[in-house]
Amino acid sequence: MDLYPWLKLLHILLAIVAVGFNISYGIWLTRASRQPQQLGFALRGIKFLDDRVANPSYAGLGVVGIVLVLMQWSFTTPWILAAIALYLIMMVVGIALYSPTLSRQIAVYEANGPDAPEFAALSQRGRVLGIVLGVIAVAIIILMVVKPG
Protein backbone atom coordinates (compact mmCIF):
# COMPACT_ATOMS: atom_id res chain seq x y z
CA MET A 1 0.00 0.00 0.00
CA ASP A 2 1.37 3.37 -1.04
CA LEU A 3 1.15 5.74 1.93
CA TYR A 4 2.09 8.85 -0.04
CA PRO A 5 -1.42 9.71 -1.34
CA TRP A 6 -2.91 9.17 2.12
CA LEU A 7 -0.31 11.40 3.74
CA LYS A 8 -0.88 13.97 1.01
CA LEU A 9 -4.62 13.84 1.76
CA LEU A 10 -3.90 14.32 5.47
CA HIS A 11 -1.61 17.25 4.60
CA ILE A 12 -4.37 18.88 2.54
CA LEU A 13 -7.00 18.31 5.24
CA LEU A 14 -4.72 19.84 7.89
CA ALA A 15 -4.18 22.86 5.62
CA ILE A 16 -7.92 23.27 5.09
CA VAL A 17 -8.55 23.16 8.85
CA ALA A 18 -5.67 25.47 9.81
CA VAL A 19 -6.21 28.11 7.14
CA GLY A 20 -9.98 27.80 7.30
CA PHE A 21 -10.07 28.48 11.03
CA ASN A 22 -7.68 31.41 10.61
CA ILE A 23 -9.89 32.92 7.92
CA SER A 24 -12.88 32.63 10.23
CA TYR A 25 -11.27 34.95 12.81
CA GLY A 26 -11.98 37.99 10.68
CA ILE A 27 -15.61 36.94 10.38
CA TRP A 28 -15.90 36.43 14.15
CA LEU A 29 -14.39 39.85 14.83
CA THR A 30 -16.46 41.67 12.21
CA ARG A 31 -19.68 40.22 13.60
CA ALA A 32 -18.65 40.91 17.20
CA SER A 33 -17.73 44.52 16.39
CA ARG A 34 -21.43 45.09 15.63
CA GLN A 35 -22.29 43.83 19.11
CA PRO A 36 -19.47 44.94 21.43
CA GLN A 37 -20.95 42.99 24.36
CA GLN A 38 -20.09 39.82 22.36
CA LEU A 39 -16.51 40.86 21.62
CA GLY A 40 -15.04 39.12 24.67
CA PHE A 41 -16.76 35.87 23.73
CA ALA A 42 -15.46 36.17 20.16
CA LEU A 43 -11.89 36.91 21.27
CA ARG A 44 -11.86 34.02 23.75
CA GLY A 45 -13.37 31.76 21.06
CA ILE A 46 -10.68 32.75 18.59
CA LYS A 47 -7.97 32.14 21.19
CA PHE A 48 -9.42 28.70 21.96
CA LEU A 49 -9.67 27.74 18.26
CA ASP A 50 -6.19 29.09 17.55
CA ASP A 51 -4.58 27.22 20.45
CA ARG A 52 -6.55 23.97 20.20
CA VAL A 53 -7.32 23.53 16.49
CA ALA A 54 -5.46 25.84 14.07
CA ASN A 55 -2.00 25.75 15.65
CA PRO A 56 -1.99 21.95 16.18
CA SER A 57 -3.07 21.62 12.54
CA TYR A 58 -0.14 23.81 11.47
CA ALA A 59 2.19 21.63 13.57
CA GLY A 60 0.75 18.54 11.89
CA LEU A 61 1.29 20.18 8.51
CA GLY A 62 4.96 20.60 9.31
CA VAL A 63 5.42 17.00 10.41
CA VAL A 64 3.47 15.48 7.52
CA GLY A 65 5.15 17.86 5.08
CA ILE A 66 8.60 16.69 6.17
CA VAL A 67 7.53 13.07 5.74
CA LEU A 68 6.17 13.82 2.26
CA VAL A 69 9.41 15.51 1.24
CA LEU A 70 11.42 12.56 2.53
CA MET A 71 9.22 10.15 0.58
CA GLN A 72 9.16 11.84 -2.81
CA TRP A 73 10.89 15.20 -2.95
CA SER A 74 14.10 16.91 -1.95
CA PHE A 75 14.70 19.66 0.58
CA THR A 76 16.86 21.38 -2.08
CA THR A 77 13.89 21.82 -4.43
CA PRO A 78 13.44 25.62 -4.67
CA TRP A 79 9.66 25.73 -4.09
CA ILE A 80 10.01 23.42 -1.09
CA LEU A 81 12.78 25.58 0.36
CA ALA A 82 10.67 28.69 -0.16
CA ALA A 83 7.61 27.06 1.42
CA ILE A 84 9.64 25.89 4.44
CA ALA A 85 11.15 29.35 4.88
CA LEU A 86 7.69 30.94 4.74
CA TYR A 87 6.30 28.31 7.13
CA LEU A 88 9.06 29.08 9.65
CA ILE A 89 8.44 32.83 9.32
CA MET A 90 4.72 32.21 9.78
CA MET A 91 5.37 30.15 12.92
CA VAL A 92 7.61 32.84 14.43
CA VAL A 93 5.12 35.63 13.66
CA GLY A 94 2.23 33.56 14.98
CA ILE A 95 3.93 32.40 18.18
CA ALA A 96 5.98 35.49 19.00
CA LEU A 97 3.59 38.23 17.85
CA TYR A 98 0.01 37.18 17.03
CA SER A 99 -0.72 34.88 19.97
CA PRO A 100 0.62 37.28 22.63
CA THR A 101 -1.27 40.15 20.97
CA LEU A 102 -4.50 38.17 21.12
CA SER A 103 -3.90 37.22 24.77
CA ARG A 104 -3.20 40.83 25.69
CA GLN A 105 -6.21 42.01 23.71
CA ILE A 106 -8.45 39.68 25.74
CA ALA A 107 -6.92 40.88 29.02
CA VAL A 108 -7.35 44.56 28.12
CA TYR A 109 -10.92 43.98 26.93
CA GLU A 110 -11.81 42.22 30.19
CA ALA A 111 -10.14 44.91 32.32
CA ASN A 112 -11.06 48.09 30.43
CA GLY A 113 -13.66 47.25 27.79
CA PRO A 114 -13.71 47.77 24.03
CA ASP A 115 -13.34 51.56 24.19
CA ALA A 116 -9.89 51.51 25.82
CA PRO A 117 -7.17 53.07 23.63
CA GLU A 118 -4.87 50.11 24.30
CA PHE A 119 -7.59 47.74 23.12
CA ALA A 120 -7.94 49.71 19.87
CA ALA A 121 -4.16 49.60 19.34
CA LEU A 122 -4.05 45.86 20.01
CA SER A 123 -7.00 45.29 17.69
CA GLN A 124 -5.19 47.14 14.90
CA ARG A 125 -1.98 45.18 15.56
CA GLY A 126 -3.94 41.90 15.54
CA ARG A 127 -5.59 42.86 12.25
CA VAL A 128 -2.26 43.66 10.60
CA LEU A 129 -0.63 40.48 11.92
CA GLY A 130 -3.63 38.44 10.78
CA ILE A 131 -3.34 39.86 7.28
CA VAL A 132 0.42 39.18 7.20
CA LEU A 133 -0.14 35.61 8.36
CA GLY A 134 -2.91 35.15 5.79
CA VAL A 135 -0.72 36.38 2.95
CA ILE A 136 2.07 34.03 4.02
CA ALA A 137 -0.36 31.09 4.23
CA VAL A 138 -1.71 31.83 0.73
CA ALA A 139 1.85 32.10 -0.62
CA ILE A 140 2.65 28.67 0.84
CA ILE A 141 -0.52 27.21 -0.67
CA ILE A 142 0.43 28.65 -4.06
CA LEU A 143 3.89 27.08 -3.81
CA MET A 144 2.40 23.71 -2.82
CA VAL A 145 -0.13 23.68 -5.64
CA VAL A 146 1.81 25.32 -8.49
CA LYS A 147 5.26 23.93 -7.62
CA PRO A 148 7.05 26.61 -9.67
CA GLY A 149 10.44 26.03 -11.26
Side-chain angles (χ1 to χ4, degrees):
M1 177 178 178
D2 185 11
L3 284 179
Y4 186 86
W6 294 102
L7 289 171
K8 184 176 176 182
L9 173 64
L10 177 60
H11 193 69
I12 291 166
L13 291 174
L14 288 167
I16 290 168
V17 170
V19 175
F21 271 81
N22 287 164
I23 289 169
S24 78
Y25 302 167
I27 298 166
W28 281 63
L29 292 171
T30 299
R31 290 192 46 88
S33 70
R34 295 182 189 133
Q35 299 176 0
Q37 70 276 15
Q38 301 299 323
L39 196 50
F41 174 81
L43 289 168
R44 287 187 301 278
I46 290 167
K47 181 70 172 145
F48 177 85
L49 294 172
D50 205 49
D51 290 348
R52 302 282 189 322
V53 181
N55 290 343
S57 294
Y58 279 115
L61 273 169
V63 171
V64 175
I66 289 169
V67 173
L68 289 170
V69 171
L70 292 171
M71 289 177 80
Q72 188 166 336
W73 300 93
S74 168
F75 286 106
T76 60
T77 305
W79 65 267
I80 291 174
L81 281 173
I84 290 171
L86 288 171
Y87 176 86
L88 293 173
I89 291 167
M90 187 171 65
M91 291 300 101
V92 169
V93 171
I95 292 167
L97 300 174
Y98 182 79
S99 191
T101 298
L102 183 56
S103 294
R104 181 72 185 139
Q105 193 177 5
I106 292 167
V108 170
Y109 174 85
E110 290 175 348
N112 304 318
D115 297 325
E118 185 181 6
F119 181 78
L122 289 164
S123 295
Q124 179 60 26
R125 178 183 169 132
R127 230 180 334 273
V128 169
L129 290 170
I131 291 167
V132 167
L133 290 168
V135 168
I136 294 171
V138 168
I140 293 169
I141 291 167
I142 290 168
L143 290 168
M144 293 289 114
V145 172
V146 176
K147 298 173 179 47

